[in-house]
Amino acid sequence: VDEDFIPQHYRLQYRKSNTGHFEDVYVGSDTEFIVLHIDPNIDYQFRVCARGDGRQEWSPWSVSQIGRSTLVPHEWTTGFEGYSLSSRRNIALRNDSQAGGVLYSKAPTYYCGQTLTFRIEAVGQTDKKDSIGICVEQRNGRDSLQRDKAVCVSTNGAVFVNGKEMTNQLPAFTSGSAVTFDMEAVTIGPSNNNEGGNFKLRVTISSNNREVVFDWVLDQCCGSFYFGCSFSCPGWKVLVF
């Protein structure tokens, strides 16, 4: 700020470059904010102003800064009978259809080093096979992510790695629960007898101020992953970002 006062609140606005009007995306005291749901490979303009010392008026706007994201948005696969999707395809609702199985992401858009978040918007009746998680590949015809080449959390908080249940658990899902997945590559072991090497990932899954950390070992190197969910009963609604 140019004026001699201590900022207490900030107002951040953005717009697609040279189109439309600026709109508020954040007002508050934080000096960092992540803007979600923007289109990839398109320039956006950002500007910020501040106020403080009991002032009601905002300071002049900053010079606009231009930024863009190359990340493809996370989307659920369309056309799956058992689930209804939002217009952005980032929210899936388990409907009344008798068709079941795992709903996967449209593409393997999750990469090591990123954070993937599932937020439970609404809950239904539980089943021990219900789960959300990350996997190496889509496998149609399966009724759960509790299988090999996948890590997942069931609705009661049980954590499964390659189909095996871990000792440590997370809290059971409730409406508003957020479950985050973080992964980083640890080691890539040597290959033996042309069978491929061990690819080890350090996985952290967090929910309701609790976390589980473990190593996920795969028989092949994998740079990107699918995400998925499976719910047997209607009413479950999950947002991914």
Side-chain angles (χ1 to χ4, degrees):
V1 291
D2 295 329
E3 299 180 42
D4 186 19
F5 72 94
I6 299 175
Q8 294 179 337
H9 293 92
Y10 300 92
R11 183 181 179 188
L12 176 67
Q13 292 188 335
Y14 82 130
R15 70 177 181 183
K16 289 185 179 179
S17 285
N18 302 320
T19 60
H21 298 285
F22 278 98
E23 59 180 277
D24 288 347
V25 68
Y26 175 76
V27 177
S29 59
D30 292 343
T31 55
E32 294 181 6
F33 183 76
I34 297 176
V35 182
L36 301 175
H37 310 314
I38 63 175
D39 296 324
N41 302 310
I42 291 179
D43 286 343
Y44 284 82
Q45 287 182 312
F46 296 85
R47 67 182 186 181
V48 65
C49 62
R51 69 182 176 190
D53 292 342
R55 299 188 182 195
Q56 295 299 315
E57 69 278 6
W58 292 97
S59 71
W61 287 106
S62 67
V63 175
S64 296
Q65 302 291 323
I66 294 178
R68 66 163 53 195
S69 174
T70 58
L71 297 176
V72 177
H74 297 309
E75 295 181 1
W76 298 105
T77 299
T78 58
F80 197 84
E81 186 178 349
Y83 294 85
S84 304
L85 306 184
S86 64
S87 59
R88 284 185 175 271
R89 297 176 294 280
N90 59 344
I91 299 176
L93 171 66
R94 182 66 169 94
N95 56 34
D96 294 331
S97 171
Q98 295 299 314
V102 179
L103 175 67
Y104 292 102
S105 57
K106 178 181 177 181
T109 53
Y110 176 69
Y111 296 87
C112 287
Q114 296 181 357
T115 296
L116 183 72
T117 301
F118 298 90
R119 192 169 71 212
I120 307 301
E121 303 286 286
V123 299
Q125 292 185 0
T126 60
D127 184 281
K128 64 180 181 179
K129 292 183 179 180
D130 293 349
S131 50
I132 58 175
I134 295 171
C135 56
V136 174
E137 59 196 9
Q138 295 178 332
R139 289 188 185 176
N140 296 322
R142 296 295 186 95
D143 59 357
S144 177
L145 281 171
Q146 298 168 19
R147 59 170 176 79
D148 64 321
K149 295 186 178 181
V151 293
C152 65
V153 183
S154 68
T155 51
N156 66 2
V159 178
F160 291 83
V161 183
N162 290 335
K164 297 180 180 180
E165 184 175 355
M166 294 186 62
T167 303
N168 295 334
Q169 277 195 307
L170 293 169
F173 295 175
T174 58
S175 181
S177 291
V179 184
T180 62
F181 287 74
D182 291 275
M183 292 197 307
E184 60 177 332
V186 180
T187 59
I188 301 176
S191 59
N192 295 313
N193 301 323
N194 297 320
E195 294 179 355
N198 286 334
F199 183 53
K200 184 184 293 185
L201 295 160
R202 181 69 43 81
V203 182
T204 303
I205 308 177
S206 305
S207 178
N208 293 352
N209 297 318
R210 292 178 60 182
E211 69 178 25
V212 175
V213 182
F214 56 89
D215 288 340
W216 182 22
V217 178
L218 298 171
D219 58 7
Q220 62 186 27
C221 183
C222 188
S224 59
F225 299 85
Y226 292 89
F227 55 86
C229 69
S230 63
F231 299 105
S232 300
C233 300
W236 287 93
K237 187 178 183 181
V238 57
L239 163 68
V240 63
F241 61 90

